[in-house]
Amino acid sequence: MAVGGPAFAGEDPGISDSSTSATKKKDTIGAVARVSYTKSGGSASRSGAITSVDPNWTPPPCWYAPEWKATEFREFRDRLYFGARHDPDAPRDALKDMSDENRSYAEDDYNIDKEKEGMWWGAQFSPDATLEEQQKCNEPPFWVKNGETPDVPNVISPEILAGLAYRQIKVPGTEVSLAPGGASKVNLPTWAWLDKGEFKPVSVTASLDAPGLHIEATTTAKPVSLTIKPGTDDAELLPGSGTCELNDDGSIGEPFAKGRAGQTPPCGVVYQRSSGTGTYALQATATWRITWTGTGGAQGTLPDGEYGNDQAVKVEEIQSVNR
């Protein structure tokens, strides 16, 4: 029976300039080495979490990291066993396994004589990890000397931290500017654009510190394009793919100017039917390219992310148009 007092990291603590992942203290004792997050770039408002375009990719569900000093680990195990013994529903087999584990740890007195030389490592889990995913980290706690990296799968690493940082990225909303102003007109282009000030890279750094150990990774989301869905099949997209690429200055599309109502915009839509008494739900979704760098020169890429917003667009038949 592997009982590690799991710490739950990445519980969306509402990242500020410096924040730590929430850890359920009732499950742990002492100064657990927690994953901390620091955000830079982006907007403080009108933001949301990006979603991976790869449905098969998920952030790391679990990892091994330093959790207890020796005296803390002994206290934790004693308390864990005491609680289980006084639980009338605790299975006998589980109690026996726990007792055997404690006896094994006690043979070396939990390494208390090596208090300053290392720490006990254990499994930590993402709060949304399924039971099946948690089984990837089912090893019981183990002792590691300060400055050493255990040779086990899923040990905390820059790559794992990069995936955890990805989960914390929040990017600006994608409510595009539309013109001409007021209701759009049937068979006339509706211009769409995002100013460069609204569309900047966003980074989150995830780090972990323990005696003799510091690792971190910075995951960066860089906007690359905006995809428009007009909210009706009766519309022509501009460009035809509906995907507007990022301009050199970081903007998307081109602002409308008076006298250009009949011109073709680089990014927009031509509605071919009135929305009647209602509106169409135009959806603008930004695609963000994801890269990361980490301790020791580690680096890599992760699947692109997406984030979008809907906005109501009223479309009317042409009555009179000033050009």
Side-chain angles (χ1 to χ4, degrees):
M1 176 182 177
V3 182
F8 291 80
E11 292 194 272
D12 193 11
I15 299 175
S16 58
D17 291 338
S18 179
S19 62
T20 359
S21 61
T23 300
K24 295 190 175 181
K25 293 183 179 179
K26 66 180 181 180
D27 294 329
T28 57
I29 290 178
V32 174
R34 307 176 188 177
V35 178
S36 299
Y37 300 95
T38 304
K39 177 182 177 182
S40 63
S43 172
S45 60
R46 297 192 304 106
S47 62
I50 57 176
T51 302
S52 169
V53 299
D54 181 356
N56 297 317
W57 184 89
T58 58
C62 66
W63 55 95
Y64 293 104
E67 289 211 46
W68 307 274
K69 296 178 181 179
T71 50
E72 296 166 347
F73 184 57
R74 181 177 64 180
E75 181 184 351
F76 166 72
R77 295 293 308 193
D78 288 346
R79 189 188 66 172
L80 197 67
Y81 184 59
F82 179 85
R85 282 188 59 191
H86 290 78
D87 181 356
D89 298 323
R92 287 183 176 273
D93 289 346
L95 281 172
K96 182 181 183 305
D97 289 345
M98 193 180 299
S99 177
D100 290 344
E101 284 182 354
N102 279 4
R103 188 176 297 111
S104 175
Y105 292 131
E107 288 180 358
D108 295 318
D109 196 22
Y110 296 86
N111 285 343
I112 287 177
D113 61 331
K114 302 176 182 178
E115 179 86 29
K116 297 182 180 180
E117 298 178 22
M119 291 188 69
W120 286 95
W121 287 46
Q124 299 184 11
F125 303 92
S126 176
D128 53 2
T130 65
L131 289 176
E132 181 180 358
E133 289 174 329
Q134 290 182 24
Q135 294 307 306
K136 296 179 180 179
C137 299
N138 61 0
E139 293 291 331
F142 49 89
W143 177 261
V144 179
K145 287 184 178 181
N146 293 338
E148 293 187 358
T149 301
D151 185 18
V152 297
N154 300 315
V155 67
I156 193 70
S157 66
E159 185 173 4
I160 286 178
L161 289 173
L164 295 175
Y166 189 141
R167 187 179 185 275
Q168 300 291 345
I169 291 177
K170 287 183 169 56
V171 295
T174 54
E175 183 173 350
V176 294
S177 298
L178 298 174
S184 294
K185 306 300 181 183
V186 172
N187 292 327
L188 281 181
T190 297
W191 294 56
W193 71 93
L194 278 173
D195 294 330
K196 60 182 179 180
E198 296 293 323
F199 223 43
K200 295 180 179 179
V202 179
S203 295
V204 171
T205 298
S207 60
L208 184 142
D209 287 279
L213 176 68
H214 170 82
I215 55 175
E216 65 178 45
T218 298
T219 301
T220 300
K222 180 180 179 181
V224 292
S225 63
L226 185 80
T227 299
I228 291 179
K229 295 181 180 180
T232 173
D233 293 335
D234 296 312
E236 176 191 356
L237 292 168
L238 302 169
S241 64
T243 298
C244 307
E245 302 296 332
L246 193 72
N247 298 323
D248 291 340
D249 64 357
S251 63
I252 290 279
E254 185 178 329
F256 174 77
K258 187 176 181 180
R260 305 179 69 181
Q263 297 180 18
T264 300
C267 183
V269 58
V270 179
Y271 286 100
Q272 298 173 341
R273 189 175 65 174
S274 166
S275 60
T277 57
T279 57
Y280 294 125
L282 180 144
Q283 182 184 80
T285 301
T287 297
W288 300 74
R289 189 139 301 145
I290 311 297
T291 59
W292 65 271
T293 58
T295 303
Q299 60 182 327
T301 61
L302 292 169
D304 288 353
E306 291 182 334
Y307 181 67
N309 297 114
D310 291 349
Q311 55 195 99
V313 178
K314 185 172 182 59
V315 181
E316 298 176 343
E317 297 288 349
I318 297 176
Q319 300 298 325
S320 61
V321 179
N322 295 321
R323 304 200 180 193

